[in-house]
Amino acid sequence: MPTVPDTEYIHKCTSACAGCSSDLILRHVLKAAGPDTVLVVPACCTSVLQGVYPNTSFGIPVYNVAFASAAAVASGMAAAFEELGKKTNVIAYAGDGGTVDIGIQALSGALERGTNFLYICYDNEAYGNTGMQRSGSTPLGARTTTTPGGKPHPKKDLDRIIAAHNLPYMATSCSAYPQDLVKKVEKALSINGPKFMHVLAPCPPGWRYDASKTIEVGKLAVRSGIWAMYEREYDTLTISGQTKAAMMKPAPLEDYLKMQGRFSGLKPEQITEIRQSMERNLRLLKLEAEGTC
C-alpha cells in the first residue's frame, strides 16, 4: 500500500457534518492528486463543506457548477488545459444524485468523447445536501425523507453502466480504506483518457448511525460484501484484497444492516432480496476476474 502524503489541501474550517466520510474521501483524493489540480463540483454536500464565502476550506481551485453539468464542464476544462499544454489534473467530484441521476447524461457523453479527466462519485446513497431524499443509488428498503416506509426498488447498477463505455480505468473504493483510495487515485491520474471512481461514503445523519461509527460502517460494508472493491482496465478486472477476503469469509450482512436506522423497517423478504443481489454481484465479479464471464 502507498504512503499517504502529509500535505493537506482541505483545512479544518469545513462545514461538514460530524463523521462525514465524503470530507474524508476528498481529503485523501487531493493528497493523491497534489496541488496542480482543479475540482469541478456540482450541487452536492461538497458545495457546502467548502465553507461560507469569502472564506474556503479548500487549498486548491474549485469550480462550482450546476447539478447536471459537472462532466460537461470538466470536458471543456480538460480541453482548455490540453490546448495550453498544461498537465493539470481535472477532477469532477460529485455525489450519487449528481451522478447516478441528474448528471448521468453529461457523464456518459464525456466518457464517450474520451475526455482526459477523473470523475469521482462519492456515494452516500441519497441526496444528502437537500435533506436525504432517495436517489437512484438508494438501496432497497432504505428509509429516506421521500421513502419513509423504505425504498421499494433496488439501487441502479451504476458501475456496469460505466463499464459499458469501455474506459481505460475505473475503480471502486470506500472511505474506510484510505490507502486503497490513494493508490487508485494515483493510478487513475497516471492514465490518459477518461477515468471513473465510485467510492462508498457512509453518512451519519442520513444513514442514522452514531457519527463515531463511520469507519466501522464503511469497513462492514466491504467485509459483508454489500460493497465490492475492484479495478477495471478496459476488459481486465482485478478484485481488491479486502473484497477477496469478503468472498471467502463474509461478515454477516445483518450486522451491517442493523447498524443503520435507515434499514429499521426491513422485511425478511427484503433482506433475502438484498442478499441475493449482493451474492449475484460478487459471483459475476469473480467470474469476470477469472475470465470466464
Side-chain angles (χ1 to χ4, degrees):
M1 285 293 182
T3 301
V4 177
D6 292 330
T7 307
E8 298 287 351
Y9 300 97
I10 296 185
H11 307 299
K12 297 180 180 180
C13 54
T14 74
S15 301
C17 300
C20 174
S21 66
S22 65
D23 195 6
L24 180 63
I25 292 165
L26 185 55
R27 179 187 175 201
H28 287 90
V29 166
L30 295 180
K31 281 175 173 285
D36 192 11
T37 300
V38 176
L39 277 184
V40 179
V41 177
C44 61
C45 291
T46 307
S47 305
V48 176
L49 65 85
Q50 296 173 54
V52 180
Y53 179 84
N55 300 308
T56 179
S57 59
F58 290 1
I60 63 162
V62 181
Y63 199 42
N64 291 281
V65 301
F67 222 144
S69 64
V73 171
S75 289
M77 190 175 289
F81 284 133
E82 183 177 355
E83 183 68 21
L84 293 170
K86 293 186 176 182
K87 302 295 185 181
T88 300
N89 299 314
V90 177
I91 300 178
Y93 190 75
D96 51 286
T99 303
V100 178
D101 299 331
I102 296 174
I104 197 166
Q105 48 80 26
L107 174 56
S108 178
L111 300 180
E112 184 267 333
R113 290 190 299 272
T115 299
N116 183 28
F117 78 142
L118 171 59
Y119 189 108
I120 298 176
C121 172
Y122 65 94
D123 191 351
N124 60 18
E125 298 185 328
Y127 287 84
N129 183 36
T130 53
M132 223 59 194
Q133 298 88 0
R134 64 88 86 192
S135 79
S137 192
T138 302
L140 174 71
R143 296 178 184 268
T144 69
T145 54
T146 49
T147 57
K151 186 179 174 225
H153 314 106
K155 66 186 298 180
K156 191 183 295 184
D157 193 345
L158 173 65
D159 295 323
R160 289 190 171 88
I161 294 171
I162 300 300
H165 292 76
N166 197 31
L167 275 65
Y169 185 81
M170 65 175 290
T172 61
S173 190
C174 174
S175 61
Y177 296 90
Q179 289 182 312
D180 177 84
L181 178 61
V182 167
K183 179 191 74 170
K184 289 173 178 174
V185 172
E186 289 178 341
K187 184 172 182 178
L189 292 175
S190 73
I191 297 170
N192 189 60
K195 289 82 60 176
F196 176 85
M197 290 185 61
H198 192 184
V199 187
L200 186 66
C203 172
W207 293 17
R208 304 180 194 179
Y209 65 83
D210 186 89
S212 66
K213 302 293 184 181
T214 288
I215 299 302
E216 184 179 347
V217 170
K219 287 190 173 181
L220 196 51
V222 174
R223 290 172 178 169
S224 67
I226 197 72
W227 186 263
M229 300 205 305
Y230 58 88
E231 297 174 278
R232 187 191 300 275
E233 298 176 70
Y234 291 111
D235 294 328
T236 300
L237 183 81
T238 304
I239 297 173
S240 301
Q242 297 88 346
T243 291
K244 284 183 180 179
M247 288 174 167
M248 294 173 59
K249 188 178 180 181
L253 174 63
E254 288 80 1
D255 289 354
Y256 172 73
L257 299 174
K258 287 176 182 176
M259 283 193 72
Q260 304 165 59
R262 63 175 178 157
F263 289 121
S264 61
L266 277 179
K267 301 178 177 62
E269 58 269 23
Q270 289 178 311
I271 296 177
T272 298
E273 186 174 346
I274 293 170
R275 186 187 306 281
Q276 289 173 341
S277 176
M278 176 188 73
E279 291 174 347
R280 177 181 180 274
N281 180 52
L282 294 177
R283 184 169 63 253
L284 290 175
L285 290 174
K286 185 173 184 293
L287 289 172
E288 186 175 354
E290 293 171 347
T292 57
C293 177

